[in-house]
Amino acid sequence: MPRDPLIALVGKPSSGKSTTLNSLTDATSKVVPNVGDKPLVERCKPNYGVCNNGTRSVPIELLDVAGLVPGAHMGKGLGNRFLDDLRHADALIHVVDVSGTTDAEGKATRGYDPSVDIEWLRSEIVRWIQGNLMEKWCV
């Protein structure tokens, strides 16, 4: 029997990952990684999940991954351990703090450009995957 989809919430520290997990699942997330498994609700006609009085419940698991920082693929901020939590995820949701009040490491600041987070986090994940492949291929 196939397992429920696992969706990982990724982003820098203090970007809202745990708040997102808590609001979607009624979890009380404080320690990472956290898994929430309260079903998300959609309209009926399910290919997957169940339907009850016109409302479909789709079981998924959400994984709240610890905050990643630039250099995570090289182990900065325990990055390799946190990136390793992504191995079993079927999809990633990048949670971005668009307020501009936290820098790339989640520290309080003003006027930070959140688009920078999108670029470096994508790069960290790609470099981590490449590093794993190179290690396996003995290159």
Side-chain angles (χ1 to χ4, degrees):
M1 178 173 204
R3 65 174 174 76
D4 293 336
L6 177 62
I7 301 172
L9 303 174
V10 298
K12 68 183 180 186
S14 301
S15 62
K17 298 177 305 298
S18 296
T19 301
T20 300
L21 177 83
N22 291 343
S23 66
L24 292 172
T25 68
D26 288 336
T28 53
S29 179
K30 290 184 180 146
V31 181
V32 291
N34 295 295
V35 176
D37 58 5
K38 181 180 176 186
L40 295 179
V41 178
E42 294 183 12
R43 284 281 155 217
C44 238
K45 298 183 183 175
N47 290 324
Y48 180 69
V50 297
C51 188
N52 186 9
N53 295 327
T55 301
R56 181 174 76 153
S57 294
V58 180
I60 64 166
E61 288 187 308
L62 292 175
L63 176 65
D64 179 9
V65 177
L68 299 170
V69 296
H73 75 283
M74 295 183 297
K76 185 174 179 187
L78 298 177
N80 282 322
R81 190 180 101 207
F82 297 157
L83 283 164
D84 195 50
D85 291 333
L86 303 178
R87 280 183 306 121
H88 301 292
D90 298 300
L92 306 177
I93 296 177
H94 184 182
V95 178
V96 179
D97 173 9
V98 297
S99 70
T101 58
T102 54
D103 66 13
E105 295 186 359
K107 297 176 185 164
T109 190
R110 295 179 69 101
Y112 180 78
D113 180 1
S115 68
V116 172
D117 293 341
I118 296 166
E119 291 300 319
W120 72 253
L121 188 109
R122 181 184 178 281
S123 176
E124 289 298 326
I125 292 171
V126 167
R127 289 179 183 173
W128 172 71
I129 292 169
Q130 286 173 334
N132 284 332
L133 291 174
M134 294 303 149
E135 183 180 310
K136 300 283 189 238
W137 293 341
C138 300
V139 176

